[in-house]
Amino acid sequence: MKKFRIKKYQIYTNKIRNPEGIRFVLLADLHGFSYGRDNAGLIEAIRREKPDAVLSAGDMAVRTCPDTLVTACKLLKELAQYFPVYYALGNHEYKMLLDPERYGMYFPALYRYLMNNGICFLEDETVYLDKGTERIALSGVSIDEVFYNFNHPVMGSGLMEKHLGVADRKMFNLLLAHNPEYFINYAKWCADLTLSGHVHGGIVRIGKAGVLSTNGTPFPKYDGNIYMSKSGKKMIVSRGMGTHTVKVRINNRPELVIVKILAKK
């Protein structure tokens, strides 16, 4: 894969007033891929967009391939020289964290290196982003490993609060949550906008539908687009920028997502 598309979304809210809005780049599921030498093509594209911050929804590497960690580290270190960078865990990073006997010290090394180079990890944590007089809450949730299983366990009420506490409903709440399957739970927690990945756009796309999720689910409900709950909360799912294991994408170009949050007119 040598090319990616840029997909742009605009989100309107009455929780901010700045007419310029707040602009983010979303990276998801890079899995150690490189677009040009040391990801020069990707870095150039991100710099052209001039985001207020770069957000990662996880799976920047492959847990069984140390070389992919090096690629992710180089990319994020370079981006942190120009923009604030926030990193929430995907299932690959989370499994490395949970099982050091199997994966060695990969995750602690990744964590220390990136923290020392200015990247902010959001592991069940909330930070506040300011632009002028605007302030929004940015959270990253690391849901339990069981919620990546094929049998789709139900996420009980109160679990999001266990991970992140109670959301401030007066603020605009932006959530990084790698797995989009639990969108309704994120919306009930009061995430005004959730940014996800994980599904790789359904790997193979027929028309507007993705055929297969990364956990083997046929025709996943959330495969790469913008979605809205009954309460009006929104989720954007990136189709991701890489592959792993099954290294196939058909009718499914990798994508870099740009999100602009604007004051409702």
Side-chain angles (χ1 to χ4, degrees), residues 214-231:
T214 48
N215 69 357
T217 302
F219 297 100
K221 183 176 182 179
Y222 307 117
D223 61 3
N225 210 322
I226 187 168
Y227 305 90
M228 187 166 68
S229 71
K230 291 180 180 179
S231 63

Side-chain angles (χ1 to χ4, degrees), residues 53-97:
V54 174
L55 311 178
S56 169
D59 279 9
M60 295 295 288
V62 179
R63 63 184 181 273
T64 56
C65 300
D67 288 350
T68 64
L69 293 170
V70 175
T71 302
C73 284
K74 286 182 177 180
L75 170 64
L76 295 174
K77 177 185 177 182
E78 180 70 15
L79 290 174
Q81 295 184 44
Y82 306 103
F83 315 105
V85 178
Y86 299 89
Y87 190 156
L89 305 189
N91 54 300
H92 280 255
E93 294 95 347
Y94 190 58
K95 288 179 180 179
M96 284 192 287
L97 171 64

Side-chain angles (χ1 to χ4, degrees), residues 9 25 27 36 62 67 89 110 141 154 173 188 216:
Y9 297 94
V25 162
L27 291 170
V62 179
D67 288 350
L89 305 189
L110 172 73
V141 66
V154 173
N173 289 291
K188 287 180 178 178

Side-chain angles (χ1 to χ4, degrees), residues 172-189:
F172 187 91
N173 289 291
L174 178 59
L175 176 66
L176 297 174
H178 185 67
N179 187 353
E181 185 172 344
Y182 296 95
F183 171 41
I184 299 305
N185 300 84
Y186 308 148
K188 287 180 178 178
W189 175 75

Side-chain angles (χ1 to χ4, degrees), residues 4-12 22-26 44-51 193 195 224-227 234-239 253-262:
F4 56 87
R5 71 173 190 168
I6 295 177
K7 178 69 174 177
K8 297 185 178 183
Y9 297 94
Q10 291 187 339
I11 302 295
Y12 292 90
I22 307 173
R23 188 179 183 87
F24 298 104
V25 162
L26 173 64
E44 182 183 355
I46 292 172
R47 291 189 65 185
R48 281 200 303 266
E49 294 297 330
K50 300 179 180 179
L193 175 62
L195 302 178
N225 210 322
I226 187 168
Y227 305 90
K234 296 180 176 67
M235 177 174 70
I236 292 170
V237 181
S238 168
R239 295 184 188 178
R253 179 174 286 189
E255 67 178 20
L256 179 68
V257 171
I258 314 299
V259 180
K260 192 166 187 180
I261 301 171
L262 296 158

Side-chain angles (χ1 to χ4, degrees), residues 91-205:
N91 54 300
H92 280 255
E93 294 95 347
Y94 190 58
K95 288 179 180 179
M96 284 192 287
L97 171 64
L98 291 181
D99 196 352
E101 289 188 8
R102 181 175 181 183
Y103 299 111
M105 299 305 291
Y106 294 162
F107 182 80
L110 172 73
Y111 184 89
R112 285 194 303 271
Y113 181 85
L114 292 180
M115 287 289 286
N116 288 339
N117 283 283
I119 286 81
C120 178
F121 274 90
L122 295 176
E123 185 190 346
D124 290 341
E125 187 176 356
T126 298
V127 295
Y128 298 96
L129 308 184
D130 296 312
K131 182 177 181 180
T133 59
E134 300 293 351
R135 167 168 281 195
I136 70 169
L138 171 64
S139 302
V141 66
S142 299
I143 60 174
D144 302 323
E145 186 179 10
V146 66
F147 295 112
Y148 289 99
N149 291 346
F150 180 75
N151 58 357
H152 313 289
V154 173
M155 183 181 287
S157 62
L159 188 65
M160 286 294 295
E161 285 76 9
K162 178 182 176 182
H163 281 271
L164 289 170
V166 177
D168 183 347
R169 294 175 179 268
K170 294 180 181 179
M171 296 191 72
F172 187 91
N173 289 291
L174 178 59
L175 176 66
L176 297 174
H178 185 67
N179 187 353
E181 185 172 344
Y182 296 95
F183 171 41
I184 299 305
N185 300 84
Y186 308 148
K188 287 180 178 178
W189 175 75
C190 202
D192 295 289
L193 175 62
T194 299
L195 302 178
S196 295
H198 185 55
V199 183
H200 294 197
I203 301 175
V204 175
R205 297 190 69 83

